[in-house]
Amino acid sequence: MSSHSAETVDPGTAALWDYEHHGHDPISTRTLGFWLYMLSDAMIFAALFAAYGVYVRNAAGGPTAADIIHPVYAMWETVVVFSSVFAYGLGMTALKRGSRAGVINGLLAAFVLGLVFLGMEYKEFADLLAAGAVPQRSGFLSAYWTIVLTHGLHMIIGLLWMFIMLIQVMREGFSQNVVYRLINLKLFWHFQAIIWVCVFTFVYLKGVL
């Protein structure tokens, strides 16, 4: 039997609770708050996916999903998105090593790949406009434009945020504010990749069946 189990403790002097306030890790606290924001953002996308599921067959005599959706093209968009997330992940690995150059290179690569993705989406919607597949044409097109452009808007916000973080890393290094913003941006950027997987699956793949 362990000697610790045989020790006697005086209940009158035993400290059962720690009443001192030791503070909170500010980075963890702010990251928790950002998680709560992303939960609300996920609810917005859930509503958009539900609306798309209702209107996907409502073409009103106009172009259907099979007419305008190109899964192979969307697959290459998916490759670009995941490559951008991978590059950002390499930058965060460099952050753990304390390498400012590694973080900057990772952010730059992720930023460029994000721009490539937006360029591909721009071409896709320019083709839709040229074909007359505008949102007001049918319920399906309204839902399609809304869900894809909402994700694209989030990507634009992420790229603007990434550009600002590039400047802050170069100017300030790894201050507490810079580090927690990089962590939150990582969560945001990964979240956009997850949402795009849902868009690719339920819009580009399932939508053409």
Side-chain angles (χ1 to χ4, degrees), residues 11 32 47 87 91 153 167 171 176 192 209:
L32 174 62
L153 178 61
I167 296 175
R171 287 184 176 179
Q176 184 181 94
Q192 300 316 310
L209 297 178

Side-chain angles (χ1 to χ4, degrees), residues 18-118:
D18 185 2
Y19 295 99
E20 295 184 10
H21 176 67
H22 299 285
H24 298 284
D25 177 9
I27 292 180
S28 298
T29 302
R30 291 169 176 174
T31 302
L32 174 62
F34 194 75
W35 271 108
L36 296 177
Y37 151 73
M38 287 202 301
L39 287 175
S40 66
D41 216 24
M43 294 175 65
I44 294 175
F45 278 104
L48 292 177
F49 280 114
Y52 180 82
V54 172
Y55 289 112
V56 65
R57 304 300 178 190
N58 183 10
T64 64
D67 296 326
I68 67 169
I69 290 177
H70 307 287
V72 175
Y73 187 82
M75 180 198 70
W76 290 112
E77 290 178 303
T78 305
V79 171
V80 173
V81 169
F82 273 86
S83 297
S84 180
V85 170
F86 178 71
Y88 195 98
L90 293 179
M92 294 303 292
T93 301
L95 175 63
K96 292 184 178 180
R97 299 196 310 267
S99 172
R100 185 185 297 193
V103 172
I104 292 173
N105 290 334
L107 289 177
L108 277 175
F111 183 81
V112 171
L113 288 166
L115 287 178
V116 171
F117 172 81
L118 289 179

Side-chain angles (χ1 to χ4, degrees), residues 63-71 124 128 131 133 140-141 144-145 204 208:
T64 64
D67 296 326
I68 67 169
I69 290 177
H70 307 287
E124 184 177 5
L128 291 178
F140 156 66
L141 287 172
Y144 174 79
W145 277 72
Y204 287 91
V208 298

